Amino acid sequence: MSGLILHEYAPSGNCYKIRLVAAHLGIPLERRGYDILRGETRTPAFLSEVSANGRIPVLQAGDDYLPESGAACVYLAYGSALIPHDRFDHADMLRWMFWEQYNHEPNIATLRFWRAFIGEANLSEAQRAALPAKEAAGHDALALMEAHLARTDWFAAGRFTLADIALYAYTHVAGEGGFDLSRYPAVEAWLARVAALPRHVAMGA
C-alpha cells in the first residue's frame, strides 16, 4: 500500500487514530496539514477538492478520498490482525468504535478542544452552559471503560484491535479536557499497555 495522503490537523485525535494504525502496520503516509482554527478546511479549494463536508481527517488513496476516521482506519487495517475475523469479535470491535464516536468523542474530545485550544474564557454562552453535561457524560464514558477494562486487558477479541486505537486517541489526552484519569486505574493501566506496544507512536510524533 503506497501513495496514501492523510489530510489532517495533527493535534486531532481522529487524525491520530489513522497515523497510529499506519504505524502499527508499517504503512507510509504523506501528511498534509490544515489549521482548523484558521478555517483552512472551509476554503473553496478544500471543499471542492478534498471533502465537501469541510472536516478532517480525510485519507486520500490515489484519486479517491475517504472521510471519517473510522472508515479510514478500517481501510488501512483491512485483512490485518487489527481486525478480528471472528464474526462476533468483528462486530464487537465495531461496537466500540461506534460507541467512541457517539458517546466518548463528543464529550471528552469536545472538552479538550474547548479548554486546550479555544480556552474557557473564549467559549460562547451556549458552550459554557454545556460544560457540566459534557463533563458528566465524559465521566460516564470513562466509568464504562473502567468497568470493562477491570475484567479484560483489551476492548474486543481479547487482544489489541482497532477498538483500542479508536479509544486510545482521545482517552490518553483526556486530562487536557479536565478529566482526572487517576480516578480510573484500569483505564490508566490499559493506556500504558497500548503505549508499550511495538510500533506505537506518540500523538506529537
Side-chain angles (χ1 to χ4, degrees):
M1 193 178 293
S2 61
L4 297 171
I5 300 170
L6 177 61
H7 300 267
E8 65 163 354
Y9 175 61
S12 161
N14 284 326
C15 298
Y16 175 49
K17 294 171 192 175
I18 298 171
R19 298 198 307 273
L20 195 49
V21 171
H24 277 286
L25 298 176
I27 298 172
L29 291 176
E30 178 185 337
R31 297 169 61 181
R32 292 187 186 171
Y34 302 82
D35 189 340
I36 61 174
L37 299 176
R38 294 177 178 268
E40 291 181 358
T41 63
R42 304 288 177 169
T43 64
F46 186 94
L47 294 171
S48 63
E49 298 170 12
V50 181
S51 175
N53 194 33
R55 302 180 68 179
I56 45 176
V58 176
L59 181 64
Q60 180 182 349
D63 294 329
D64 295 320
Y65 293 80
L66 188 61
E68 301 299 331
S69 60
C73 288
V74 169
Y75 175 81
L76 292 178
Y78 183 81
S80 78
L82 291 177
I83 298 180
H85 295 294
D86 176 82
R87 187 172 185 172
F88 181 85
D89 290 344
H90 186 122
D92 199 33
M93 176 201 75
L94 291 174
R95 181 261 293 212
W96 284 109
M97 294 176 72
F98 298 157
W99 178 83
E100 186 271 340
Q101 287 286 280
Y102 188 75
N103 290 92
H104 183 286
E105 192 263 5
N107 301 298
I108 291 173
T110 296
L111 286 190
R112 173 182 179 250
F113 184 70
W114 286 359
R115 286 175 164 151
F117 295 87
I118 297 177
E120 258 188 84
N122 300 315
L123 297 180
S124 68
E125 288 186 19
Q127 289 170 326
R128 281 195 290 273
L131 286 173
K134 287 198 171 290
E135 287 174 348
H139 279 295
D140 285 346
L142 290 167
L144 190 149
M145 293 171 66
E146 178 73 12
H148 181 78
L149 291 167
R151 302 189 301 270
T152 182
D153 285 349
W154 308 103
F155 277 96
R159 58 183 175 81
F160 181 67
T161 69
L162 289 186
D164 298 285
I165 289 177
L167 283 160
Y168 180 86
Y170 280 116
T171 303
H172 89 289
V173 290
E176 296 178 13
F179 295 96
D180 179 8
L181 291 179
S182 68
R183 294 171 53 179
Y184 307 100
V187 170
E188 286 195 314
W190 164 75
L191 291 173
R193 282 194 294 277
V194 174
L197 289 172
R199 294 189 171 183
H200 178 82
V201 293
M203 179 180 272

